[in-house]
Amino acid sequence: MLAIRSLAVVLMGTVLVAQVHAQALAQRNGFPSQPIRFVSPFPPGGGNDATTRWVTTRLPELTGQPAVVENKGGAGGNIGAKAVTEAKADGYTLLTGQVSLMAVNPTLYRAPGFDPLKNFIPVTQVNAAPLAIVVAAGSPLKSFADLAAKSKAEPGKITYATPGNGTLSHLVGVVLGKESNVSMTHVPYKGAGPAINDLLGQQVDVLITSTSSVAGMIQGGQIRALAVTSPRRVGVFGKVPTLEELGYKNTTFEDWYGFFAPAGTPPERVAYLNEAIVKTLHKPEVSKLVTDGGSEVVASTPEAFAAQLNSDIKRWSYVVKLSGAKLD
């Protein structure tokens, strides 16, 4: 009986410690005391939107406040990003950014409307993921070798969809054309969701997009993956070859998603948001969503994420210039 009482006291103490910690996290310096808004700068249905919701569905358990997702698409994500730069820098508005938006658009667009280094503070990188080259389940293209052979036999006849002009997906298609002579005609969409719909309807032949956008449909059998752009096979894409494995050089690219606060957000609130989001990402049910989406959890510090951003801006500005792409 004494042992049972002792165990009960220990268990009760553990619960109380957890409750106190959760309360301290939720109320640190009076922040947050209202809902936190996450702006996803693309339409619903794509990887950006999915990544945002993986986090926001469980974040309130730590913050004690609702997490609201606002989809604000257009101009390759620039409209949503600019809107966040104009929001009050108080920690209550965050942007879900990705490589194409934060590292590509500043070079691609003549006037993107924001500067990723001056207008934002990195909070945390969520994940790292390849892009996937996919077709509808009913497509006659059964492998990347089929795609390469058909594109060489009939240059430009194969169409490939992407979430938009100048996105990472578009640039990977450009690099494929330059480095491997896989000649396809680009069909840009306003986000991954509409592109996926047309792929399923076989109005386009191929889609290049984030793994998180199509992982569920690959598992469900509606879409078939031909290759991924990562240096290694990952997650539910473990049976899908990398382009490097297939012998294509200079085609290793990784996408990422992450959260940014407007410049001027108090450092203590950035630190709080980093801690809360990182803890959320390490919840087993959330990390499983990330890995099931074909990516790996990163959950970095603001400093590490800033270094990653700087590195990618340098790399992708070169690729944009190589492609010759420029948008107004």
Side-chain angles (χ1 to χ4, degrees):
M1 181 64 71
L2 181 60
I4 293 174
R5 286 178 179 173
S6 297
L7 178 59
V9 169
V10 170
L11 291 174
M12 183 177 295
T14 301
V15 170
L16 288 173
V17 168
Q19 289 176 341
V20 168
H21 178 72
Q23 186 178 22
L25 183 63
Q27 298 179 354
R28 189 179 304 161
N29 297 320
F31 176 83
S33 59
Q34 64 189 58
I36 300 172
R37 179 172 65 118
F38 288 76
V39 176
S40 174
F42 293 94
N48 193 290
D49 179 67
T51 301
T52 307
R53 294 176 193 277
W54 291 340
V55 172
T56 57
T57 54
R58 304 309 296 265
L59 184 64
E61 296 171 8
L62 287 172
T63 64
Q65 295 294 330
V68 180
V69 180
E70 179 183 344
N71 292 95
K72 198 173 186 67
N78 291 345
I79 291 174
K82 188 174 188 301
V84 174
T85 69
E86 297 168 348
K88 189 174 180 180
D90 56 6
Y92 289 107
T93 300
L94 297 179
L95 172 72
T96 308
Q98 62 195 88
V99 175
S100 62
L101 173 64
M102 306 302 282
V104 172
N105 284 11
T107 301
L108 176 71
Y109 284 84
R110 290 184 174 85
F114 68 95
D115 183 317
L117 299 178
K118 294 179 180 179
N119 297 137
F120 291 100
I121 298 173
V123 175
T124 185
Q125 181 178 340
V126 171
N127 63 345
L131 294 175
I133 301 167
V134 304
V135 295
S139 170
L141 302 173
K142 305 298 182 184
S143 66
F144 193 83
D146 289 346
L147 170 61
K150 187 173 177 61
S151 75
K152 290 173 184 176
E154 303 175 86
K157 185 173 181 180
I158 293 178
T159 55
Y160 78 99
T162 71
N165 274 317
T167 58
L168 205 61
S169 301
H170 175 202
L171 295 177
V172 167
V174 170
V175 172
L176 278 175
K178 290 184 178 293
E179 298 288 346
S180 61
N181 295 318
V182 176
S183 174
M184 300 183 289
T185 298
H186 181 220
V187 182
Y189 285 79
K190 292 181 178 179
I196 290 168
N197 288 337
D198 276 7
L199 180 76
L200 293 173
Q202 299 193 43
Q203 293 164 293
V204 287
D205 301 309
V206 177
L207 169 64
I208 302 177
T209 191
S210 63
T211 51
S212 58
S213 298
V214 293
M217 281 172 282
I218 287 173
Q219 291 175 300
Q222 301 105 307
I223 287 176
R224 179 168 59 253
L226 304 183
V228 291
T229 65
S230 54
R232 61 201 169 278
R233 301 188 186 198
V234 296
V236 295
F237 290 80
K239 294 182 179 179
V240 181
T242 69
L243 288 170
E244 193 173 76
E245 285 179 59
L246 297 174
Y248 295 97
K249 297 180 179 180
N250 302 319
T251 53
T252 296
F253 302 103
E254 285 194 296
D255 195 5
W256 49 250
Y257 293 95
F259 298 113
F260 296 83
T265 300
E268 64 274 15
R269 294 193 176 187
V270 173
Y272 172 90
L273 290 165
N274 173 268
E275 181 182 352
I277 294 170
V278 166
K279 284 180 179 292
T280 299
L281 287 169
H282 285 308
K283 287 177 178 286
E285 61 274 25
V286 177
S287 60
K288 185 176 187 301
L289 287 171
V290 175
T291 55
D292 284 353
S295 62
E296 300 171 318
V297 174
V298 174
S300 62
T301 63
E303 294 77 15
F305 191 21
Q308 181 69 52
L309 176 63
N310 273 277
S311 173
D312 282 334
I313 287 174
K314 292 176 183 176
R315 183 187 188 194
W316 286 104
S317 65
Y318 168 77
V319 176
V320 170
K321 292 170 184 174
L322 176 68
S323 73
K326 203 70 181 175
L327 296 175
D328 291 322

